[in-house]
Structures are given as structure tokens and as C-alpha cells.
Amino acid sequence: MVGNYSGCLCIRASRIWDFYDPRDETKLLHIDLVLIDKEGNSIHAQIYPPITEMFKPLIKEGSVYNISFIQVKKSNRMYKPVKNDIIINFTRWTTVEEVVEVPTAFPVITYSLTPIDKLPSHVEDREYFTDVIGTVTGISGVSPVRPRSQQADTLKRTVTIRDASNVSLDVVLWVERATSFPAEQLHKDGQNSPQIVIFVGTLVRSYAVTLAQQLAYNEPNTFVAEHRKVSDIKYLHPFTNKKTEWLVTVKVMKIDKSWWYNSCKKCLKTAKPHGNTFKCTNHTCNTIGAINPRYKLAITAGDETGDTEFILFGRIAQRLIKRTVDALIADNPPRFIPDEITRLLEKVFTFNVSFTENTISSGNVSFQVNAIVAEIDDGNPLPLTPIGSQSSSLVLSQSAGSSVQATPEKDITFTLTSPATRTKRARSPAAL
Ligand SMILES: [Zn+2]
């Protein structure tokens, strides 16, 4: 279900909001979107800098787009705007094309309402944002207040709503949500008919997920790595070549200062200091305390057509360096590149490589070394090792179950059509 998805999704950008660093309001952390497909399935999507600049002018709230080349990940653990256990990340390679002729039945908005009298049990629940509906019974003006947690004044507006069972609720809007709320219009229209408002993205709640849709694509079962020049592979599309392996013969030109990291014993991902111990940064793992130093050797290497970055992890690096990572750490001062590693400079190797997973997330092209096929003597370039004798490292068998499955949740989606109703939206930061 998670992975890189090259297919095309037709979706409406139902909501878009910018998420700034709470400690630095000039720093955009990410752009968030709620996307809806024509069946009403909804999903949270995020765009991280620096590609926020690229997509900002391309996507308008409310418009429908065909998007391709996205990353599908497990959803965030907190502050989910819709019920879905996966999330979409835009990448440098994501394409966005506006759909001009939108089918009339294409859903516009999505929400999942919580009755007001059920809200108290959701107060400390931060997994989901909460959506509420009610008739407006009061709107305050915008006034400056100074919350205890902050140094400066901020703007606040309170909207009071009441639901069908006559329970009242104050919805507090902050800053631009306060100023952009169409108070005057609602007040004017309210003279003739009750004004019904939906607030989305306000609180938190837990939820179960159902399987609604399946996305699948076919991959060939077997790959045989072919020899390529660096310039032939570094400009290829990392989505459409994500599991392809190539052979390259390259000379090591540069070695990165950081050559090892603290890896989680369970999943091998990076572990960061956590009090007196370490915690895995992989959110689906989160293991505390169990770490191992592991090689992560980043080198720049190339041939006559160009150069690029290659990453050698763990045992692959050890085969090249010929010593264990523990021994090298013990024998060398911190932040020093050991001689055993600098000795690799100017050497020529034939590697079996493929795009790193990080290529798509970071937007920086790099290749991971899957196998060291040959070391080529200086001044005495050896012919490549024949493919037949290296078949175990050149042929990768894919298991049959390598299809991507996405399981978006089917949301309650309907549009209020009564002339007596209006829908207006306000999003986080808003407190109930
Ligand atoms: Zn882990």
C-alpha cells in the first residue's frame, strides 16, 4: 500500500493550507491538502520545501487535477484531517495537470461530523482534526488577546453555534481565520434565514479504516542489470526506474565526512538521541535504546560522462573498507575520515546500483550500491567480470506480492443544497 506511485490520480484539491513553524511564523514547514476523488474518497497530502515554491502557483483550492508520480506513505500519527491510513507526498517528479471539464457530480468538500455533545471525549485526542456543524447564534468581533504561551498579541474571534439537539458551542478562530471569517455576510444573510456553518480541521478523534479502493501496478518479475554510463542513469526517472539495477564502472572522486550513523537494530533506520538513550526516527518503528553503529558511506564517483553520488551501507561498505565499523570508530577521533576510507579515492570499481529511496523524498539524485562487482586495478583496467559469474548479485527476483495497495477511507461527502444553508470553512488553528 505504501511506495512510489507512478499512475495517474484524478482528484480535487478540496482544502489547501500552509503550516508554519509555531515558533517562527515566517518559516513554512509544509503545505497541506485534502484531496477528494470522484467517488468521494479523501486523502491528506503534503508538500515540503523546497518544492512548495514549485507547486504553489500550480494548485488552486477547489480545482480538479490529474496528478502522477507521487509517494504514498503511512499517514501521520497526529492531526489527520481525514480518515485514511495513508498520505500522499508530492515529489520533485510529481506532475500536476488541471482538469478543465470536471464531471458535475465530482465532490467538492468532505467532512466527518461529530455531534457537539460528543466533543468532550475528544478534547485530548490529537490523532484527528474534528469537523462540526451548527446554526450560527453569535459572532464576536475580532479582538487582540495575549495567550499565556506567547510573547505578542494575537487576533481572536468567537463564533457560537448550536446543533439540532440544541447544544451550544463556542468555536474560537485565531489570526487569519478570525479576520477572513465572513462575519458581515453571515450577519446580513442571517436576517432572512438561519446560517448553517461547518468548521473542519478543528479537533481530534480516533477512527477505524475500511478498504475502499485498490491501486495496483505490474512489475516485471526479474531484472538483469546492464552496464551503463553515469550520464545514462543519473537523468532517468526515479519513479519508473525505482527497482532497476545497473552496472557502472566509476572512479571514486570524493568521500563525504560522515561515514557512519546510529542505526535502529530493528529496522536499520536512523536513531536520534532521546534523553540518555536513542530513539528510532522511523515512525512505524519508534524503538528506543536498541542501536548499532552502521556504515553509510557517501561517495562521489564518475566516469568520462559525468559523476553522481553513491551510498554504500553496512556490509557492502565493509567489503570495500575491509574493516568493521566498530573497529574504525574505536581507532579514530570523531569526525575524522579514517585512512582505510580515504584510501578508496581514485580507485575504480564496478558497482551494481539502483536509485536510493531518498532520491525521491529529498529530490537529490543518489544511487545505492547493491553489490561490488569488481575492483579495477589502477592503470590496468580489467575487463568487466562476465555477467554469468556474478549472477547472484545481478539478478534480483521480485516476490509476486509487490503490488502497491492503497486503502483510502470512504468519506461521508455531500453538498448542502438547501437555499437556506451555507457552508463556510475555517481550519486549524481553531480551538473548540
Ligand atoms: Zn527502527
Side-chain angles (χ1 to χ4, degrees):
M1 61 184 280
V2 298
N4 300 324
Y5 181 66
S6 306
C8 180
L9 297 179
C10 182
I11 49 81
R12 188 190 294 275
S14 173
R15 292 178 218 166
I16 305 178
W17 67 101
D18 295 339
F19 190 96
Y20 287 92
D21 187 340
R23 282 155 302 181
D24 178 2
E25 281 175 20
T26 61
K27 191 175 165 201
L28 179 66
L29 294 182
H30 41 83
I31 295 176
D32 292 73
L33 304 97
V34 169
L35 309 177
I36 316 180
D37 71 9
K38 70 176 195 305
E39 278 86 39
N41 303 299
S42 58
I43 188 165
H44 185 196
Q46 291 186 315
I47 309 173
Y48 283 82
I51 58 168
T52 43
E53 292 309 308
M54 187 172 136
F55 289 105
K56 232 178 180 168
L58 297 181
I59 307 175
K60 240 179 37 239
E61 191 171 76
S63 295
V64 175
Y65 301 93
N66 284 320
I67 60 170
S68 297
F69 305 115
I70 49 166
Q71 273 192 308
V72 179
K73 295 190 160 180
K74 242 180 99 88
S75 65
N76 298 338
R77 295 194 309 152
M78 300 211 293
Y79 303 117
K80 294 181 240 193
V82 292
K83 289 165 273 66
N84 199 325
D85 62 350
I86 53 173
I87 184 170
I88 286 174
N89 274 18
F90 281 54
T91 76
R92 218 178 88 188
W93 288 271
T94 299
T95 57
V96 173
E97 182 194 321
E98 184 164 1
V99 175
V100 183
E101 290 190 10
V102 180
T104 45
F106 208 115
V108 177
I109 50 177
T110 182
Y111 42 81
S112 179
L113 301 171
T114 301
I116 294 177
D117 59 354
K118 296 282 187 298
L119 290 176
S121 60
H122 295 290
V123 167
E124 288 306 318
D125 181 356
R126 300 191 181 277
E127 187 176 1
Y128 286 99
F129 286 125
T130 295
D131 307 339
V132 289
I133 189 168
T135 307
V136 177
T137 58
I139 305 172
S140 80
V142 177
S143 55
V145 292
R146 183 167 300 186
R148 255 172 300 172
S149 58
Q150 285 181 24
Q151 301 298 311
D153 284 352
T154 185
L155 296 172
K156 174 186 168 180
R157 185 202 291 277
T158 304
V159 179
T160 309
I161 59 172
R162 192 168 59 212
D163 72 2
S165 51
N166 252 344
V167 191
S168 270
L169 174 76
D170 282 346
V171 180
V172 179
L173 309 176
W174 300 97
V175 201
E176 47 133 344
R177 300 295 172 213
T179 51
S180 66
F181 188 79
E184 270 176 43
Q185 188 67 39
L186 278 173
H187 187 74
K188 207 172 117 216
D189 295 349
Q191 308 302 315
N192 306 315
S193 57
Q195 299 298 298
I196 296 172
V197 180
I198 297 173
F199 292 95
V200 298
T202 61
L203 242 179
V204 201
R205 50 183 292 210
S206 58
Y207 210 87
V209 166
T210 58
L211 190 130
Q213 189 190 353
Q214 191 169 355
L215 307 168
Y217 63 93
N218 297 318
E219 284 180 291
N221 283 329
T222 313
F223 301 104
V224 177
E226 291 173 39
H227 204 265
R228 288 278 187 273
K229 292 293 177 196
V230 168
S231 63
D232 294 336
I233 61 169
K234 76 185 263 198
Y235 302 110
L236 289 174
H237 203 296
F239 276 84
T240 47
N241 293 283
K242 67 171 198 167
K243 293 219 167 125
T244 317
E245 302 190 359
W246 302 278
L247 299 180
V248 290
T249 298
V250 290
K251 183 190 268 187
V252 179
M253 297 153 66
K254 219 172 91 191
I255 295 170
D256 197 85
K257 277 200 296 293
S258 122
W259 48 274
W260 66 277
Y261 71 106
N262 287 309
S263 88
C264 170
K265 268 189 188 170
K266 255 197 185 156
C267 72
L268 301 180
K269 291 268 159 57
T270 306
K272 288 261 162 72
H274 181 75
N276 297 328
T277 177
F278 286 85
K279 185 177 177 187
C280 180
T281 54
N282 173 4
H283 292 304
T284 56
C285 174
N286 277 320
T287 302
I288 292 177
I291 57 151
N292 267 335
R294 185 171 186 246
Y295 276 123
K296 184 191 176 187
L297 192 60
I299 61 172
T300 304
D303 56 23
E304 70 279 10
T305 69
D307 54 68
T308 188
E309 188 178 50
F310 296 90
I311 313 284
L312 295 92
F313 284 102
R315 234 173 281 168
I316 302 283
Q318 190 176 319
R319 275 188 60 190
L320 214 58
I321 298 162
K322 300 188 174 75
R323 289 195 66 192
T324 66
V325 71
D326 300 87
L328 278 202
I329 292 170
D331 290 355
N332 289 279
R335 282 180 287 280
F336 179 82
I337 310 183
D339 298 341
E340 289 88 339
I341 294 176
T342 52
R343 204 176 289 154
L344 299 173
L345 281 168
E346 299 291 313
K347 286 206 170 155
V348 180
F349 297 96
T350 299
F351 294 141
N352 172 303
V353 301
S354 52
F355 278 114
T356 60
E357 275 190 34
N358 195 43
T359 291
I360 289 173
S361 316
S362 70
N364 297 317
V365 171
S366 62
F367 294 88
Q368 66 180 47
V369 175
N370 306 306
I372 298 151
V373 179
E375 180 175 342
I376 293 165
D377 268 22
D378 273 338
N380 183 19
L382 301 172
L384 266 182
T385 316
I387 283 177
S389 66
Q390 287 287 333
S391 59
S392 64
S393 62
L394 300 178
V395 179
L396 172 76
S397 290
Q398 290 288 111
S399 67
S402 60
S403 60
V404 165
Q405 289 191 340
T407 58
E409 147 82 7
K410 184 101 180 165
D411 248 304
I412 317 157
T413 303
F414 52 92
T415 314
L416 299 176
T417 50
S418 154
T421 61
R422 296 174 60 89
T423 61
K424 290 292 172 199
R425 288 173 293 152
R427 302 167 207 113
S428 171
L432 284 170

